[in-house]
Amino acid sequence: MDKKPLVLLALVAIIVIIPLTLYNGLGEDEGFFGGADGAAGEAIEETGYEPWFNSFWEPPSGEIESLLFALQAAIGAIIIGYVLGYYKGQDSERNKEENKKNGKRM
Amino acid sequence: MHIMEGFLPWQWCLFWYLIAIPVVVYGITRIKKITDKNPETKPLLAVSGAFMFVLSSLKLPSVTGSCSHPTGNGLGAVLFGPAVASVLATIVLIFQAILLAHGGITTLGANIFSMGIVGPVAAWLVYKGIKKIGWGSSIGIFFAALLGDWLTYVTTATQLSLAFPIPTFGEAFIKFMVIFAYTQVPLAIVEGLLTVVIFEYIMQLRPDILRKLRVIGSEKAQDSPEKVLEVV
């Protein structure tokens, strides 16, 4: 099996884990791991700007928000898995047929 | 990179909408053209959109101690061109604006400009450039995705500094770059790596489609002669 994707994914995991160990024990209360989008919003509000429009609807709680984020990721993941799985199946089917043909010839 | 709902003066909202709309419309005609010509590219179009869906939902921690998310715009831009990536980004941004209160309808034009136009155009140019100097397509896709991601955030920082040049544009730019661009560096590398993984897998299974989209040249034939024979 090709090891390259595994190595790359391990690298991804390391890059994501480093900040977690670096600031271990620090949380939102200490101002860590907040979202950059929100931080920009705060920086803008500090200049005295008042947003002139509010979202029509906001997830009523963090739980609902995580539900919708999980849903977003799930929709994406299922499409990727379906299509690439289908390609993979086609590929191995093709290889099987080729092997059969070659087998007969020999 | 999401500019929050209402966080841009209306003149700027209008300005970015006026730039974004023609690109998205052009992207829709491109999708029609590409899928009419090569209907077998449709599943890959879905995968490119889905990849954006997944990556932009993952909020990752960064060494700066804050969280941000990748954009996923490099893959679609390299496979189908930047205009098509604009359409895909628009779908993702509308989903997040309406259901997640991330970004907004008023700031949609501005967010399409950063994630759907500047990022994809950069990714596409970087990929073409790296192919031209003869480096491999995996290196190309890595830097394309990395810069597509990072420049998306630089664009957001620029947009906010233009709208809020307080006290000056330069100082505001540094402030927003610290918030967005520094945080994004490790995440852009993550995005580059993930895009390489999925791109190489597609290349391994269906190089014929990538060749039709002119993403990889026919010189790749040497790598997998048996697959080329089939396409012929």
Side-chain angles (χ1 to χ4, degrees), chain A residues 5-105:
Chain A
L6 293 178
V7 173
L8 295 181
L9 291 176
L11 220 64
V12 167
I14 291 168
I15 296 175
V16 174
I17 290 168
I18 286 173
L20 294 177
T21 51
L22 219 54
Y23 307 112
N24 190 17
L26 297 166
E28 259 182 317
D29 297 337
E30 289 89 12
F32 279 88
F33 299 119
D37 291 345
E42 276 166 31
I44 293 168
E45 275 177 334
E46 271 169 28
T47 67
Y49 178 81
E50 293 272 334
W52 59 280
F53 198 87
N54 281 318
S55 300
F56 293 107
W57 185 80
E58 268 182 51
S61 74
E63 314 300 314
I64 306 296
E65 191 180 359
S66 68
L67 162 71
L68 289 163
F69 265 113
L71 190 68
Q72 186 191 334
I75 292 171
I78 205 165
I79 294 174
I80 295 175
Y82 181 88
V83 173
L84 295 186
Y86 185 77
Y87 284 166
K88 177 77 190 158
Q90 273 184 331
D91 193 55
S92 56
E93 226 18 65
R94 212 163 19 210
N95 286 344
K96 241 189 250 166
E97 265 168 45
E98 255 165 45
N99 286 344
K100 246 189 234 165
K101 263 189 234 161
N102 291 344
K104 267 179 200 165
R105 242 176 264 157

Side-chain angles (χ1 to χ4, degrees), chain B residues 156-172:
Chain B
T156 306
T158 311
Q159 287 172 318
L160 290 176
S161 330
L162 282 170
F164 304 99
I166 301 167
T168 62
F169 173 79
E171 277 177 55

Side-chain angles (χ1 to χ4, degrees), chain B residues 29-172:
Chain B
T29 64
R30 286 286 302 157
I31 289 179
K32 175 118 186 51
K33 220 175 184 176
I34 292 171
T35 53
D36 279 352
K37 202 174 151 210
N38 294 313
E40 68 273 34
T41 58
K42 274 182 199 164
L44 273 194
L45 186 64
V47 166
S48 304
F51 188 67
M52 226 184 255
F53 248 69
V54 175
L55 258 66
S56 64
S57 74
L58 299 175
K59 297 192 188 169
L60 305 172
S62 169
V63 283
T64 56
S66 61
C67 287
S68 188
H69 59 87
T71 59
N73 53 13
L75 183 71
V78 168
L79 293 185
F80 292 96
V84 173
S86 305
V87 180
L88 300 176
T90 305
I91 297 168
V92 175
L93 288 168
I94 290 175
F95 180 96
Q96 293 179 327
I98 293 177
L99 292 179
L100 290 159
H102 273 247
I105 296 302
T106 58
T107 52
L108 182 65
N111 291 332
I112 293 174
F113 183 75
S114 60
M115 179 171 154
I117 299 178
V118 175
V121 167
W124 184 72
L125 287 175
V126 167
Y127 185 77
K128 294 273 165 197
I130 288 180
K131 289 293 282 178
K132 193 151 263 177
I133 57 174
W135 294 3
S137 39
S138 295
I139 296 175
I141 194 89
F142 174 74
F143 284 106
L146 188 152
L147 282 165
D149 175 307
W150 194 67
L151 287 174
T152 297
Y153 281 81
V154 173
T155 306
T156 306
T158 311
Q159 287 172 318
L160 290 176
S161 330
L162 282 170
F164 304 99
I166 301 167
T168 62
F169 173 79
E171 277 177 55

Side-chain angles (χ1 to χ4, degrees), chain A residues 49 52, chain B residues 6-14 163-164:
Chain A
Y49 178 81
W52 59 280
Chain B
F7 270 83
L8 274 185
W10 68 268
Q11 299 90 332
W12 281 108
C13 294
L14 186 71
F164 304 99

